[in-house]
Amino acid sequence: MPRRERRAQLMESALEVFVAQGYHAAAMDDIAERAGVSKPVLYQHFPGKLDLYLALLDRSCDTIIDNTRHALASTHDNKQRVAATMDVFFEYVSSETGAFRLVFESDLTNEPAVREHVDRVTTECAAMIAHVIHDDTGLPDDASRLLAVSLVGMAQVSARFWLAEHGDIPRPDAAALVAGLAWRGIRGYPLTDDH
């Protein structure tokens, strides 16, 4: 198998093991077995368990950051931007892969490298949202950033709560409900009523 394909296979197997067992309980033996390879093959691609975890975390963080970027760029209508961005978080946590657990529920957040990756989601998503808020409202950068972090926090926490509750609210409806709340709060800030 070509190196790139093998690496992707190993990462998929590792994701399944880490999501099911958490970092501390997962063993490289389990990951190699899940991938159907020997441990030496696994170590040819990843020198250690933390390296493998960080590679998965990078990919997971990139996914939500990129999807947030696309949601913000998808329209100039801020109400639709809020809805699209909230939907990104709800879609992310509802993915069958469970990759969100690496970002939002990691059992390794005391590890500085992991904490840095996890914080990157909030920091980069909030920076993109703050840019839109600043441009559309004229609020100072600090105020725009605070509002943006608040919106990201609302999206993360509400999406995880929705998933954990296994309620009767379908994902699109749950995302729309939270987006409605966020929009009612943020829409008071634009310079004009057109935004």
Side-chain angles (χ1 to χ4, degrees):
M1 182 180 287
R3 184 167 179 76
R4 182 181 220 156
E5 289 175 27
R6 175 68 73 197
R7 183 177 172 88
Q9 175 206 18
L10 295 171
M11 288 180 69
E12 290 308 312
S13 296
L15 177 61
E16 293 172 14
V17 173
F18 285 133
V19 166
Q21 300 177 18
Y23 178 83
H24 294 296
M28 292 296 267
D29 287 327
D30 299 332
I31 295 166
E33 183 179 321
R34 178 75 54 99
V37 300
S38 65
K39 269 180 50 176
V41 169
L42 180 57
Y43 282 111
Q44 286 174 357
H45 293 269
F46 301 98
K49 185 166 76 166
L50 182 59
D51 299 296
L52 177 52
Y53 191 83
L54 290 173
L56 284 168
L57 195 54
D58 261 342
R59 187 175 73 179
S60 295
C61 291
D62 288 346
T63 297
I64 194 158
I65 291 166
D66 290 344
N67 290 347
T68 298
R69 181 178 297 109
H70 293 302
L72 291 170
S74 68
T75 181
H76 291 289
D77 180 295
N78 286 333
K79 183 177 183 180
Q80 291 177 10
R81 279 179 173 157
V82 169
T85 303
M86 286 298 168
D87 193 57
V88 163
F89 283 86
F90 278 80
E91 183 178 334
Y92 181 67
V93 302
S94 67
S95 167
E96 290 181 17
T97 67
F100 82 94
R101 294 189 191 288
L102 300 179
V103 178
F104 298 142
E105 298 177 0
S106 176
D107 61 347
L108 195 60
T109 54
N110 59 339
E111 168 65 39
V114 172
R115 179 84 258 149
E116 181 181 318
H117 283 71
V118 170
D119 289 345
R120 184 169 71 92
V121 171
T122 299
T123 302
E124 290 190 27
C125 289
M128 290 182 282
I129 294 167
H131 180 74
V132 172
I133 291 171
H134 173 77
D135 286 354
D136 289 352
T137 66
L139 286 172
D141 288 340
D142 287 347
S144 297
R145 201 167 31 258
L146 180 59
L147 290 173
V149 168
S150 299
L151 290 170
V152 170
M154 178 188 288
Q156 287 179 11
V157 172
S158 60
R160 288 175 42 223
F161 176 81
W162 166 80
L163 184 67
E165 284 295 301
H166 303 292
D168 293 331
I169 303 173
R171 183 189 59 78
D173 296 345
L177 187 65
V178 176
L181 174 64
W183 176 246
R184 283 178 182 83
I186 199 70
R187 74 177 176 196
Y189 288 97
L191 293 173
T192 69
D193 292 334
D194 297 335
H195 295 246

